[in-house]
Amino acid sequence: MSSEYIDDVDQLRSLYKAPTDRAVRKQLDRLDVHCRRFIELAPFVVIATGNGENMDASPRGGKPGFVRVVDDVTVWIPDSPGNNRLDSLANIITTGRVGLLFLIPGIDETLRVNGSARISASDGKLRLLADEKRTPAVIVEVGVEEAYLHCAKALMRSKLWSDEARQDRRVLPTIGQMISEQTGSNSPPESQEQMLARYAKDL
């Protein structure tokens, strides 16, 4: 290899075995019964977006079923209160593309969904995704183009759901302390208790 960096797909492919027929064929162009059930049980999804220059991966969470399966090629994701940077939403407006990774606590397999995306503020759709606390400001409407169940190896290696993998929160400073240092703030950093109290209304 003439360079330590790889910039050719054929060169990259030469370093790996060919994917199995099963790995290729498991990719669907719509949600089947298993994909739909996975989304219905998932309280957590990572939304991956880009704008042609920068990439972003944003976690979203709620009660299982907070992501609504409309039909085999459409899902709705309510936008819950966050930091109001709107990185993901702005990227979707720019490119109309999204990648999703669904996780279910205790299950090592994940579900990947890729497709088109657009932002809707339709009153009718917003009311359908309202819960006992709030009506979302907008929803992300995803048009499913690719859906496939991802093998368990990554979560098994990380032991993500295992008690032995859990870290005591005190191994890191509070988020208030870390952000205070990162921003050079002279104000007293927010304590963990203060943060939890501030978050409570948005959970």
Side-chain angles (χ1 to χ4, degrees):
M1 196 177 298
S2 59
S3 170
E4 65 174 307
Y5 300 109
I6 298 170
D7 56 10
D8 178 84
V9 175
D10 290 335
Q11 183 184 14
L12 174 65
R13 281 287 178 199
S14 71
L15 301 176
Y16 293 84
K17 295 178 181 179
T20 64
D21 180 63
R22 181 173 180 264
V24 174
R25 292 178 57 212
K26 71 178 182 178
Q27 179 177 311
L28 308 175
D29 63 1
R30 61 189 57 245
L31 303 175
D32 70 351
V33 62
H34 304 297
C35 295
R36 293 177 69 127
R37 181 60 174 156
F38 201 104
I39 294 172
E40 289 167 358
L41 292 172
F44 186 84
V45 63
V46 178
I47 300 179
T49 60
N51 61 17
E53 296 181 0
N54 300 308
M55 299 297 297
D56 186 72
S58 177
R60 304 297 171 95
K63 292 181 179 179
F66 83 102
V67 175
R68 175 75 63 90
V69 178
V70 180
D71 54 42
D72 291 350
V73 292
T74 312
V75 297
W76 292 346
I77 306 172
D79 189 57
S80 298
N83 57 21
N84 294 322
R85 285 177 52 108
L86 308 185
D87 297 317
S88 299
L89 301 181
N91 288 344
I92 288 170
I93 289 173
T94 299
T95 67
R97 306 296 299 170
V98 73
L100 308 176
L101 179 69
F102 291 92
L103 290 92
I104 301 173
I107 294 178
D108 287 333
E109 289 77 19
T110 56
L111 174 67
R112 293 168 63 174
V113 175
N114 301 319
S116 62
R118 52 188 179 177
I119 309 300
S120 174
S122 159
D123 287 340
K125 293 176 181 178
L126 297 179
R127 283 195 298 270
L128 288 173
L129 268 68
D131 59 25
E132 62 274 10
K133 280 199 167 185
R134 70 181 64 86
T135 299
V138 300
I139 66 167
V140 177
E141 182 172 294
V142 178
V144 178
E145 297 174 7
E146 299 174 347
Y148 51 100
L149 293 164
H150 198 89
C151 78
K153 291 178 183 176
L155 272 68
M156 291 173 69
R157 291 181 185 123
S158 67
K159 302 185 187 302
L160 186 62
W161 310 127
S162 171
D163 286 343
E164 65 185 277
R166 293 179 63 88
Q167 293 283 351
D168 188 306
R169 179 62 187 81
R170 292 169 296 182
V171 300
L172 288 173
T174 67
I175 189 70
Q177 290 171 315
M178 290 188 282
I179 292 178
S180 182
E181 290 182 15
Q182 291 173 339
T183 59
S185 173
N186 294 320
S187 301
E190 184 179 50
S191 70
Q192 190 76 2
E193 293 73 23
Q194 289 170 326
M195 181 207 73
L196 292 173
R198 179 169 57 85
Y199 282 180
K201 69 180 187 304
D202 288 334
L203 296 179

